[in-house]
């Protein structure tokens, strides 16, 4: 039986609590005294908590967890919460979060509601949801948990967060409502109940005491919150539905680690919510590539759901785990699109990626221009060896190996060509389609790996002579001033009147406060010769570079772009000694916007965690030779780490204190190499 417009009526013994609470709410709205106590509502909340309280336990780190943290506890804030979700005569199974039991920790201490303590070991992990299953000895007098069916969840219904991280004798309780369902890309329910680290791992229950889900700090990546813990006490909490976890509980009990399913594509649009769901690149060896998908394909259906924007596609892909199969339908071709159906098996990881190049620097082109014009060719590079000439237009790339034979991918600008090459391995044979004498011709090309060292000369590169009618050229030295900058950075801007996009080098020398025009002098000739802008920031503290300098650096890029447009494919960060380590820090903070980092006479910051390069998130790294002793050893170790991770690493000669302006500007030109 259903109430009119109210959804299913609860037909069990806790239905009375719901009816009573709703009745009290109605009376309180009509009461003359808005502060009249709602004791019956409070009783309903207590009853809901009592239904699960005995299954809510405290999770504490063990001595081995402290050892894993180098003498410090390896978790964020000490004790947290867990929920006993299954039990047998000799064992209990507890779901908690990786916040409480990180990946390098294999055991924890469980504190029961009665204060008893017992050891637990990790049985399995659901990495995509940040949940951990612990196994411990049997726990007596556990309640039978009832999951709240996903289909009944709706915004506005009561939600109660229960934890035992603070005090094992009495659980902590926070009351709110369900704010949304299918959040965190379909993995979680959202609540506005106050969720602190102490109740991560605890249950979120409804007014009847049914378990909605397990509270966990999932990231809100679209808001730039990638850890999940940033939402602490922010009125935004996530709970992974218990119904979803019970479906995979047998796999976790068998010791499986459930990884997030990976498709292996990037999107053409930067708008990952409302952008068109068109593939920019398919990683070589990825599930997408193995299923025959390729750049330019547009998703129209995933499973039984129609897809019109990227957000819808991500909602269908991201909740799924490695090993799951998807049926996808894509449209291929622009003029006369045809629909292609493919079966994709998601992977837990992708093979290491190495960039493949053909040795072409693309010319700047207006929006909507067809193909890619080769402005300059790397001498003896793959394209030059195949017979491509400067000024010729690459209109398509011919790939082999899909289910229907050789595949022709129309090139949509430099970004489109980069996307196609991102799915090709170095040493792989492709075809470049060009127009000659009014007829298409395909040149066979074998791709190469990205270069590591900067060539000493770029034969034939003459940016200053592109248009002789422009007259003499020079570099302007300007302050990138704004009301927020008491000590504005300096910029060396070549060919200031031009509108073509320009590459930029952010350079950090020794910290000493504001920069002077004398520091710009060594850069002027190189900036003009290679048509590269240079930004020279000052340091807030004359003794050191710090995070306090980062806001001014971000603003300097925007200020330069207003004077001469920046080529987004050629943003580089470089520095020497203390400025070298800071250059890597800045590159990390600027993220995928940075295509190159030069660290001269310095090692990487000690806290550096290397993320392997990916299409659209790779960097050409240059490192100085260094001197002797500990710094030299650390530089050599960093080089090995970078090369093992897949980064191309070249060398900058350490020869004095002057910035190697010509080499860095020449390197910046090549950051756009395809």
């Amino acid at each position: 039986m259903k109430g009119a417009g109210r959804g299913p009526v609860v037909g069990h013994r806790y239905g009375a609590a719901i009816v009573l609470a709703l009745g009290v709410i109605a009376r309180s709205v009509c009461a003359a005294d808005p502060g009249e106590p709602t004791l019956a509502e409070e009783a309903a909340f207590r009853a809901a908590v009592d239904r699960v309280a005995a299954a809510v336990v405290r999770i504490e780190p063990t001595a081995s967890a402290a050892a894993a943290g180098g003498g410090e506890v390896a978790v964020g804030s000490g004790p947290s919460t867990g929920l006993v979700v299954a039990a047998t005569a000799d064992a209990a199974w507890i779901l908690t979060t990786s916040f409480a039991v990180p990946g390098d920790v294999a055991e924890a201490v469980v504190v029961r509601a009665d204060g008893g303590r017992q050891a637990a070991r990790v049985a399995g992990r659901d990495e995509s949801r940040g949940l951990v299953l612990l196994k411990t000895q049997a726990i007596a007098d556990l309640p039978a948990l009832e999951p709240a069916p996903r289909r009944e969840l709706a915004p506005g219904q009561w939600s109660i967060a229960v934890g035992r991280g603070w005090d094992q004798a009495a659980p902590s309780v926070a009351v709110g409502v369900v704010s949304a369902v299918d959040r965190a890309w379909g993995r979680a329910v959202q609540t506005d109940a106050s969720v602190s680290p102490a109740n991560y791992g605890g249950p979120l229950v409804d007014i009847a005491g049914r378990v909605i889900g397990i509270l966990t700090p999932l990231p809100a990546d679209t808001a730039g919150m990638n850890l999940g813990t940033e939402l602490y006490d922010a009125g935004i909490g996530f709970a992974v539905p218990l119904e979803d976890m019970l479906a995979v509980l047998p796999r976790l009990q068998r010791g499986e680690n459930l990884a997030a399913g990976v498709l292996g594509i990037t999107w053409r649009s930067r708008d990952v919510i409302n952008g068109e769901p068109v593939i920019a690149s398919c990683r070589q060896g990825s599930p997408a590539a193995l299923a025959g998908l390729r750049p330019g394909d547009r998703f129209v259906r995933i499973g039984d759901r129609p897809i019109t924007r990227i957000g819808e596609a991500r909602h269908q892909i991201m909740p799924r785990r490695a090993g799951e199969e998807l049926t996808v339908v894509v449209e291929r071709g622009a003029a006369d699109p045809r629909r292609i159906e493919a079966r994709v098996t998601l992977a837990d990881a992708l093979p290491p990626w190495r960039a493949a190049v053909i040795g072409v620097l693309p010319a700047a082109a207006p929006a909507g221009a067809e193909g890619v014009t080769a402005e300059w060719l790397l001498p003896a590079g793959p394209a030059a060896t195949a017979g491509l000439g400067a000024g010729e237009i690459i209109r398509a790339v011919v790939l082999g190996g899909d289910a229907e034979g050789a595949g022709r991918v129309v090139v949509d600008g430099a970004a489109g060509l980069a996307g196609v090459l991102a799915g090709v391995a170095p040493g792989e044979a492709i075809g470049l389609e060009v127009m000659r004498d009014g007829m298409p011709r395909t040149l066979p090309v074998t791709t190469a790996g990205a270069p590591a060292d900067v060539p000493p000369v770029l034969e034939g590169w003459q940016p200053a002579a592109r248009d002789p009618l422009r007259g003499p050229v020079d570099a302007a030295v300007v302050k990138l001033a704004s009301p927020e900058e008491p000590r504005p950075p300096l910029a060396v801007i070549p060919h200031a009147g031009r509108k073509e996009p320009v590459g930029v080098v952010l350079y950090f020398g020794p910290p000493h406060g504001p920069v002077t025009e004398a520091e710009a002098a060594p850069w002027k000739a190189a900036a003009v010769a290679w048509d590269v802008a240079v930004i020279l920031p000052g340091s807030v503290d004359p003794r050191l570079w710090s995070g306090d300098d980062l806001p001014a650096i971000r603003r300097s890029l925007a200020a330069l772009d207003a004077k001469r447009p920046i080529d987004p494919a050629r943003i580089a960060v470089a520095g020497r000694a203390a400025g070298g380590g800071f250059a890597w820090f800045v590159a990390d903070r600027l993220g995928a916007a940075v295509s190159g980092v030069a660290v001269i006479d310095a090692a990487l910051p000690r806290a550096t965690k290397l993320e392997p390069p990916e299409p659209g998130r790779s960097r050409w790294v240059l490192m100085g030779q260094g001197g002797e002793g500990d710094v030299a050893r650390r530089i050599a170790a960093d080089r090995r780490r970078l090369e093992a991770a897949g980064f191309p690493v070249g060398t900058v000669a350490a020869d004095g204190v002057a910035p190697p302006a010509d080499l860095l500007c020449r390197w910046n030109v090549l950051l756009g190499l395809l």
Side-chain angles (χ1 to χ4, degrees):
M1 174 180 176
K2 293 185 178 181
R6 303 292 297 184
V9 174
V10 179
H12 52 67
R13 62 193 179 95
Y14 289 91
I18 300 176
V19 174
L20 182 59
L22 292 176
V24 171
I25 294 169
R27 290 196 301 275
S28 68
V29 171
C30 300
D33 180 4
E36 177 183 338
T38 57
L39 297 179
E41 182 182 9
E42 178 183 329
F45 294 147
R46 288 181 180 274
V49 173
D50 286 346
R51 190 178 180 194
V52 300
V56 180
V57 297
R58 183 175 178 176
I59 306 296
E60 295 181 351
T62 64
S64 63
E72 299 179 358
V73 174
V75 289
S77 60
S80 191
T81 301
L83 181 68
V84 184
V85 294
T88 63
D90 58 356
W93 304 87
I94 301 167
L95 279 175
T96 187
T97 68
S98 54
F99 178 84
V101 188
D104 57 352
V105 174
E107 54 189 22
V109 173
V110 173
V111 184
R112 304 188 304 266
D114 63 7
R117 304 166 68 83
Q118 55 199 63
R121 293 193 63 81
V122 173
R125 295 179 180 272
D126 188 335
E127 297 172 2
S128 67
R129 287 151 175 82
L131 293 179
V132 181
L133 184 69
L134 300 176
K135 182 180 181 180
T136 186
Q137 65 193 58
I139 298 177
D141 301 323
L142 290 171
L145 302 179
E146 180 182 356
R150 246 185 182 267
R151 66 180 181 277
E152 295 183 14
L153 300 177
Q157 71 182 81
W158 288 113
S159 60
I160 306 167
V162 184
R164 207 180 285 276
W166 299 117
D167 180 3
Q168 83 276 357
S172 60
V173 177
V175 177
V177 297
V178 171
S179 308
V181 296
D182 285 330
R183 295 306 299 271
W185 301 113
R187 293 172 293 176
V189 174
Q190 182 178 320
T191 178
D192 70 347
S194 181
V195 179
S196 71
N199 51 22
Y200 290 155
L204 184 72
V205 303
D206 65 13
I207 194 69
R210 300 181 302 176
V211 180
I212 295 171
I214 309 297
L215 297 163
T216 187
L218 290 174
D221 55 347
T222 55
M225 299 179 181
N226 296 316
L227 298 177
T229 51
E230 304 102 325
L231 298 173
Y232 162 57
D233 275 351
I236 299 175
F238 295 123
V240 175
L242 179 61
E243 192 175 61
D244 293 358
M245 293 309 301
L246 292 179
V248 297
L249 185 61
R251 296 177 60 187
L252 295 173
Q253 289 174 318
R254 290 194 298 268
E256 293 187 40
N257 286 339
L258 308 181
V262 179
L263 183 58
I265 65 170
T266 62
W267 301 106
R268 181 175 293 176
S269 173
R270 292 180 179 269
D271 183 349
V272 296
I273 305 294
N274 296 310
E276 285 193 321
V278 178
I279 297 174
S281 68
C282 293
R283 276 277 299 273
Q284 58 256 29
S286 68
L290 295 174
L293 303 181
R294 65 191 194 206
D297 288 348
R298 186 185 191 280
F299 284 93
V300 295
R301 184 172 293 276
I302 298 178
D304 60 354
R305 297 292 183 92
I307 303 298
T308 60
R309 56 192 182 92
I310 292 175
E312 293 169 341
R314 295 182 73 190
H315 265 288
Q316 295 305 307
I317 297 168
M318 292 189 68
R320 301 177 189 271
R321 301 173 176 90
E324 293 188 41
E325 287 191 343
L326 278 176
T327 299
V328 303
V329 179
V330 298
E331 283 186 346
R332 181 171 296 169
D336 185 20
R338 55 194 175 98
R339 293 201 167 188
I340 296 171
E341 181 176 305
R343 292 285 294 173
V344 182
T345 301
L346 300 179
D348 60 350
L350 298 174
W353 181 75
R354 299 290 189 274
V357 301
I358 57 174
V360 169
L361 277 179
E370 294 185 0
V372 172
T373 300
E375 180 170 16
W376 180 81
L377 298 169
L378 185 68
T385 301
L388 187 72
E392 288 196 287
I393 300 174
I394 302 170
R395 299 185 177 274
V397 176
V398 180
L399 303 171
D402 69 16
E404 300 177 15
R408 177 179 180 271
V409 182
V410 175
V411 170
D412 183 15
L417 178 55
V420 175
L421 292 175
V424 176
E428 187 172 333
I430 62 173
L432 301 181
E433 183 183 294
V434 300
M435 294 293 290
R436 286 185 178 172
D437 300 325
M439 296 292 292
R441 179 181 175 187
T442 300
L443 304 177
V445 173
T446 300
T447 62
D453 287 315
V454 181
V457 295
L458 303 186
E459 183 180 339
W461 175 259
Q462 295 179 320
R466 291 179 193 168
D467 186 352
L469 298 179
R470 287 194 171 107
V473 294
D474 196 4
V477 178
V478 301
K479 291 183 178 180
L480 298 177
S482 69
E484 299 91 350
E485 305 299 347
R487 297 174 294 275
L490 291 181
V492 182
I493 306 177
H495 319 294
R498 292 186 178 178
K499 299 300 181 184
E500 298 95 342
V502 64
V504 59
V505 174
L506 277 157
Y507 185 79
F508 303 96
H512 60 277
V515 292
T516 65
E517 287 208 23
E519 294 174 69
W523 292 93
K524 294 179 69 174
V528 171
W530 303 108
D531 197 21
V532 172
V534 181
I535 296 177
L536 303 172
S539 60
V540 172
D541 187 329
R543 300 166 300 174
L544 54 85
W545 293 105
S546 72
D548 293 338
D549 298 307
L550 196 59
I553 292 165
R554 293 183 187 275
R555 289 192 291 266
S556 72
L557 288 168
L560 173 62
D561 191 57
K563 297 180 180 297
R564 184 169 174 190
I566 292 175
D567 182 347
R570 293 169 49 209
I571 298 176
V573 185
R576 183 187 292 275
F582 187 65
W584 189 272
F585 170 83
V586 171
D588 268 354
R589 294 304 182 272
L590 296 181
V594 174
S595 302
V597 188
V599 181
I600 308 169
D601 293 345
L604 304 186
R606 291 187 183 273
T608 296
K609 294 184 178 179
L610 293 182
E611 294 290 338
E614 300 280 352
R617 190 174 58 81
S618 182
R619 294 172 183 161
W620 186 349
V621 181
L622 300 181
M623 298 196 76
Q625 298 280 11
E628 298 180 353
D630 182 60
V631 172
R633 286 190 292 272
R634 287 182 57 201
I635 291 173
D638 287 337
R639 177 185 289 271
R640 290 191 295 270
R641 288 176 61 204
L642 288 162
E643 290 173 340
F647 291 92
V649 184
T651 299
V652 181
D655 54 355
V657 297
D662 188 78
L663 181 142
L664 292 177
C665 289
R666 189 165 72 249
W667 165 62
N668 182 273
V669 169
L670 293 177
L671 292 179
L673 190 73
L674 298 176

